Amino acid sequence: MSHQPPILLVHGLHMSGLFMRPLARRLVQAGFITHTPSYHSLTRPIEAHSQRLHEYLTHHHDINKPLHMVGHSLGGLVIRHFLFNYPMWQVHRCVTLGTPHQGSICAQYGNRLLSMLVHHAYPNALDGTCVHPKDTQIEFGVIAGTRPFGIGLPILTYHTHRNCLTDDASIHDGTVYLSETHLTYAKDYLTLPVSHTGLLTDKTTASQTAYFLKHGQFDGHQQK
């Protein structure tokens, strides 16, 4: 039986809990119990997503016992919103994967040019205005990808050239700029040569996530 707190994995935009299964399997191998609920990322606002997590946990977890949370992309913002609105849960550590904590340029273009691509995921979330947890004791680890491959590549390439971004400022994972993933109160921060969606299937991402959840920091010896 695992002595680690269970992990609630929260998927991102245009996804469901099924997309978190590859990561969940690796975390189970590392000794964790995992949960991969789904939510309607496009058709409902972020308030509904955090409520969905609260209701899910009410039925599947003892509120008096600790748990961890891992969020991919928009899922990291949903976690922040959840922690702000439902501080009664004993959340110990969180890891975000490719989450645009500073807001998303890709989503900004999508909201302006074809709003159905981001719909309800933009306000109070991908627009950069998501609330932050009130509990400063919750430990956050941030993993960001640097492999520029994904559906957002044309938009980010256009934005980079239009704004004459420097080489450092133009680093991205195919969907999210590296600069957008920064979180001022994160306890540790790690970049990996992985694309935005690749973060869900990458072996090193999974092992580093497990390491942070166990130790509160990333393992410098595991980095690629």
Side-chain angles (χ1 to χ4, degrees), residues 39-50:
Y39 65 94
H40 301 291
S41 63
L42 282 174
T43 59
R44 304 290 300 277
I46 193 169
E47 292 81 8
H49 306 333
S50 56

Side-chain angles (χ1 to χ4, degrees), residues 7-224:
I7 308 171
L8 187 72
L9 293 99
V10 188
H11 65 83
L13 187 64
H14 299 282
M15 294 184 174
S16 70
L18 292 174
F19 286 83
M20 304 300 287
R21 295 289 177 83
L23 175 59
R25 283 194 292 270
R26 294 186 187 279
L27 293 174
V28 168
Q29 293 171 358
F32 292 94
I33 295 171
T34 63
H35 299 277
T36 57
S38 296
Y39 65 94
H40 301 291
S41 63
L42 282 174
T43 59
R44 304 290 300 277
I46 193 169
E47 292 81 8
H49 306 333
S50 56
Q51 181 179 353
R52 162 69 177 144
L53 296 188
H54 172 67
E55 293 172 350
Y56 179 90
L57 287 172
T58 298
H59 289 92
H60 294 89
H61 185 70
D62 184 343
I63 197 169
N64 296 307
K65 294 183 178 180
L67 73 149
H68 298 311
M69 303 185 79
V70 174
H72 175 250
S73 198
L74 174 64
L77 301 179
V78 174
I79 288 175
R80 277 171 42 187
H81 195 279
F82 166 82
L83 295 175
F84 178 86
N85 286 280
Y86 301 98
M88 70 286 292
W89 293 98
Q90 307 301 308
V91 178
H92 186 29
R93 292 182 177 130
C94 299
V95 174
T96 63
L97 311 174
T99 294
H101 289 291
Q102 303 298 321
S104 167
I105 289 294
C106 263
Q108 185 182 108
Y109 277 92
N111 184 65
R112 190 168 66 222
L113 301 175
L114 195 61
S115 62
M116 67 179 65
L117 291 176
V118 292
H119 206 31
H120 285 295
Y122 192 69
N124 304 315
L126 294 175
D127 63 352
T129 65
C130 183
V131 293
H132 294 278
K134 300 174 184 176
D135 186 355
T136 59
Q137 300 303 309
I138 299 173
E139 298 177 351
F140 271 81
V142 172
I143 298 179
T146 59
R147 184 186 177 210
F149 180 79
I151 59 173
L153 182 58
I155 292 175
L156 297 183
T157 299
Y158 168 77
H159 182 80
T160 295
H161 289 301
R162 183 187 181 196
N163 293 275
C164 301
L165 299 184
T166 64
D167 289 343
D168 287 343
S170 62
I171 298 173
H172 61 80
D173 64 4
T175 302
V176 173
Y177 279 114
L178 186 62
S179 61
E180 295 173 331
T181 65
H182 289 293
L183 187 64
T184 56
Y185 48 86
K187 188 177 180 185
D188 206 353
Y189 186 91
L190 176 68
T191 60
L192 294 173
V194 183
S195 68
H196 192 68
T197 55
L199 289 166
L200 295 176
T201 57
D202 179 67
K203 182 178 180 179
T204 302
T205 301
S207 62
Q208 287 283 8
T209 297
Y211 195 91
F212 182 90
L213 295 179
K214 290 179 179 179
H215 305 287
Q217 63 183 27
F218 295 117
D219 183 2
H221 299 292
Q222 289 185 14
Q223 296 183 32
K224 292 181 178 178

